[in-house]
């Protein structure tokens, strides 16, 4: 079974600075998807960024980028120019790409605080 | 285009009562997934349904929990004889196909059992 580990329960960053959230995962599969979700106090789960394992290029979405290290099974999220609205819980998630695969496996989350 | 709609947002039930949680998927989506989030935890998969069919309920507790997604109307997650340990946030997600690259989540229903 796949597992996702987020080793930082809480992080803080100064507004306008850069922060990196860590995520590692365990799988025996070669093809899969990795996701970062943001959960603000409203509880809405918002997809931040997605990475397909067969793509070597790291995904980027505006101020959000990932460092995907397939061999190390590491998938960290970098937030540049942090804004107050970035304060939220961030969840790393894994999904297999095999036939019949649809379950997302989530880590326990990292609570990010942004200091004005 | 409305997103995934869950209601109610908050639900309080006394021990032994029944809880019914509703989820209307995004327009055109026929695949629905239910997840549960316990305090200080990530989301855990419960069940995957297509219209009128349960595809995978491997994450559902064996007793008291059931789910349906009828031909017409929302998907329903039903918890009978609730206990304090059922207190959690329950999230519904929907996707266009089963082999999705993105599932869209609702805002969740926070169930409190008193």
């Amino acid at each position: 079974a796949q597992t996702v580990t987020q080793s930082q329960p809480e992080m803080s960053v100064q507004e306008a600075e850069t922060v990196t959230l860590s995520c590692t995962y365990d799988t025996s599969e070669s093809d899969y998807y990795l996701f970062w979700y943001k959960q603000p106090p409203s509880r809405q789960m918002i997809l931040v960024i997605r990475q397909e394992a067969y793509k070597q290029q790291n995904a980027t979405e505006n101020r959000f980028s990932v460092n995907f290290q397939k061999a190390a099974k590491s998938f960290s999220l970098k937030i540049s120019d942090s804004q107050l609205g970035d304060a939220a819980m961030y969840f790393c998630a894994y999904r297999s790409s095999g036939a019949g695969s649809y379950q997302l496996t989530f880590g326990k989350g990292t609570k990010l605080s942004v200091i004005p | 285009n409305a997103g995934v709609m869950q209601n109610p947002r908050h639900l309080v039930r006394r021990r032994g009562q029944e809880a019914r949680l509703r989820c209307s998927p995004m327009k055109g989506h026929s695949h629905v997934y239910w997840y549960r989030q316990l305090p200080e935890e990530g989301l855990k998969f419960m069940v995957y349904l297509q219209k009128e069919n349960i595809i995978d309920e491997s994450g559902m507790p064996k007793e008291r929990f059931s789910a349906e997604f009828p031909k017409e109307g929302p998907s329903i997650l039903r918890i009978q004889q609730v206990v304090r340990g059922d207190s959690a946030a329950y999230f519904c997600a929907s996707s266009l196909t089963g082999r999705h690259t993105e599932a869209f989540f609702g805002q969740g229903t926070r169930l409190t059992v008193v």
Side-chain angles (χ1 to χ4, degrees):
Chain A
Q2 292 80 20
T3 58
V4 176
T5 302
Q6 293 179 249
S7 59
Q8 307 152 315
E10 296 187 27
M11 292 280 286
S12 61
V13 61
Q14 205 77 31
E15 194 175 4
E17 297 294 311
T18 296
V19 64
T20 298
L21 308 184
S22 301
C23 173
T24 58
Y25 57 94
D26 188 25
T27 183
S28 58
E29 299 174 331
S30 60
D31 200 14
Y32 46 86
Y33 297 96
L34 295 164
F35 306 83
W36 278 99
Y37 280 89
K38 172 184 177 182
Q39 186 181 45
S42 68
R43 281 210 317 266
Q44 178 79 53
M45 292 290 287
I46 302 165
L47 179 64
V48 174
I49 200 164
R50 170 178 57 233
Q51 175 80 42
E52 295 160 20
Y54 67 87
K55 290 186 177 178
Q56 292 186 335
Q57 187 171 7
N58 289 324
T60 61
E61 286 288 342
N62 301 314
R63 297 183 294 107
F64 298 87
S65 62
V66 298
N67 184 3
F68 174 46
Q69 301 288 329
K70 191 172 184 179
K73 296 179 183 175
S74 170
F75 182 60
S76 60
L77 174 70
K78 185 171 86 170
I79 306 174
S80 304
D81 185 26
S82 297
Q83 300 175 1
L84 294 177
D86 295 334
M89 286 291 292
Y90 286 82
F91 292 96
C92 179
Y94 170 102
R95 185 176 80 76
S96 173
S97 65
S101 298
Y102 41 77
Q103 284 188 37
L104 290 163
T105 300
F106 287 86
K108 289 190 175 185
T110 297
K111 183 178 181 180
L112 177 67
S113 302
V114 180
I115 303 164
Chain B
N1 187 11
V4 178
M5 303 301 293
Q6 289 188 249
N7 67 82
R9 287 292 313 278
H10 303 275
L11 182 61
V12 179
R13 283 288 177 265
R14 296 187 184 280
R15 280 178 294 172
Q17 291 185 318
E18 178 180 287
R20 291 171 70 89
L21 288 60
R22 293 175 182 76
C23 169
S24 296
M26 284 184 71
K27 187 176 181 180
H29 287 192
S30 59
H31 299 257
V32 165
Y33 316 83
W34 285 92
Y35 287 79
R36 177 164 65 174
Q37 184 180 28
L38 294 170
E40 312 298 325
E41 296 281 329
L43 279 68
K44 295 278 173 52
F45 170 80
M46 298 181 75
V47 62
Y48 164 36
L49 309 103
Q50 292 181 36
K51 284 284 187 181
E52 301 184 275
N53 288 301
I54 297 174
I55 307 303
D56 180 357
E57 55 183 349
S58 60
M60 288 274 273
K62 298 296 180 208
E63 297 178 351
R64 302 186 297 107
F65 284 72
S66 62
E68 62 177 12
F69 189 16
K71 186 176 180 180
E72 301 290 338
S75 175
I76 306 287
L77 179 67
R78 183 182 177 202
I79 311 171
Q80 295 178 291
Q81 300 173 334
V82 296
V83 300
R84 289 236 171 96
D86 297 333
S87 295
Y90 292 83
F91 287 88
C92 169
S94 74
S95 65
L96 193 58
T97 69
R99 296 196 65 184
H100 62 86
T101 55
E102 181 174 357
F104 295 84
F105 281 85
Q107 286 190 286
T109 293
R110 180 171 295 283
L111 172 66
T112 302
V113 180
V114 298

